[in-house]
Amino acid sequence: MAEKTIVIQYEEFSSREEMSPKDQALVEAALQAQKGSYSPYSHFQVGAALLLNNGVVVKGANQENIAYPSGLCAERTAMFWAGANYPDVPFDTLAVAGSDNGALCDSPASPCGACRQVMAEYEKKHGQPLKIILVGDRLIRKFPCVEALLPFIFDSLDM
Ligand code: THU
């Protein structure tokens, strides 16, 4: 038996001004994207902004449904739209912002497991690290790739 440890490296910012102008613009887009949230059941508004390699920013927001499992997270609405409309353009960075009843969470909302799995698939498809920015009111975290959020990713089937 061997005991192992995983180290996750990421950047933490206490204000948007500490970030590069490119990242600040994407954070702003994620905050704007929250306006598209349809969340009458949870009252939790999530916005996602996905920067593609061609410079296009695709926005997504969570869409809920009275049949709860029929809804979809913000991250996946953005990624699936990008995958459908720009199938050959790699994903550069995904920014995500979550608000509870209209108030941006102090500590950033973190993507669910299903969204992480979808991020991992597109990252592998495009062969380029997908950077992820999680936006909170007092704290912003930036991860260099999906593996930092989802170690031991399921990707073992040959595509
Ligand atoms: N939600 C997202 O949009 N992204 C996540 O990664 C986690 C949760 C949404 C789903 C639902 O509409 C609401 O937040 C509350 O769970």
Side-chain angles (χ1 to χ4, degrees), residues 7-38:
V7 176
I8 295 174
Q9 277 188 322
Y10 60 95
E11 295 171 309
E12 211 165 76
F13 305 87
S14 49
S15 78
R16 280 175 232 166
E17 291 68 39
E18 291 174 18
M19 309 187 83
S20 70
K22 177 186 158 193
D23 285 350
Q24 283 187 44
L26 201 63
V27 166
E28 188 53 42
L31 293 167
Q32 289 295 321
Q34 290 180 304
K35 291 184 184 150
S37 169
Y38 175 63

Side-chain angles (χ1 to χ4, degrees), residues 124-159:
K124 187 173 181 187
K125 175 188 176 193
H126 294 303
Q128 173 184 300
L130 168 59
K131 300 178 276 287
I132 299 138
I133 299 173
L134 304 182
V135 186
D137 198 32
R138 304 220 174 138
L139 201 67
I140 300 172
R141 297 195 174 106
K142 182 174 180 182
F143 298 85
C145 59
V146 180
E147 200 181 10
L149 281 177
L150 185 63
F152 300 109
I153 297 168
F154 174 69
D155 67 351
S156 32
L157 289 179
D158 284 334
M159 300 205 305

Side-chain angles (χ1 to χ4, degrees), residues 7-148:
V7 176
I8 295 174
Q9 277 188 322
Y10 60 95
E11 295 171 309
E12 211 165 76
F13 305 87
S14 49
S15 78
R16 280 175 232 166
E17 291 68 39
E18 291 174 18
M19 309 187 83
S20 70
K22 177 186 158 193
D23 285 350
Q24 283 187 44
L26 201 63
V27 166
E28 188 53 42
L31 293 167
Q32 289 295 321
Q34 290 180 304
K35 291 184 184 150
S37 169
Y38 175 63
S39 43
Y41 306 105
S42 71
H43 306 285
F44 194 76
Q45 299 83 34
V46 186
L50 176 62
L51 174 66
L52 308 181
N53 271 21
N54 62 3
V56 170
V57 174
V58 173
K59 288 185 197 165
N62 57 328
Q63 304 296 313
E64 298 185 350
N65 190 279
I66 185 67
Y68 288 8
S70 304
L72 197 64
C73 293
E75 298 91 320
R76 275 177 288 161
T77 60
M79 288 188 285
F80 287 154
W81 198 92
N85 290 284
Y86 296 96
D88 301 322
V89 184
F91 297 179
D92 182 279
T93 308
L94 176 66
V96 185
S99 290
D100 198 357
N101 268 305
L104 184 62
C105 300
D106 279 348
S107 190
S110 214
C112 76
C115 287
R116 294 176 199 212
Q117 183 66 36
V118 171
M119 291 174 200
E121 180 91 15
Y122 284 114
E123 188 179 64
K124 187 173 181 187
K125 175 188 176 193
H126 294 303
Q128 173 184 300
L130 168 59
K131 300 178 276 287
I132 299 138
I133 299 173
L134 304 182
V135 186
D137 198 32
R138 304 220 174 138
L139 201 67
I140 300 172
R141 297 195 174 106
K142 182 174 180 182
F143 298 85
C145 59
V146 180
E147 200 181 10

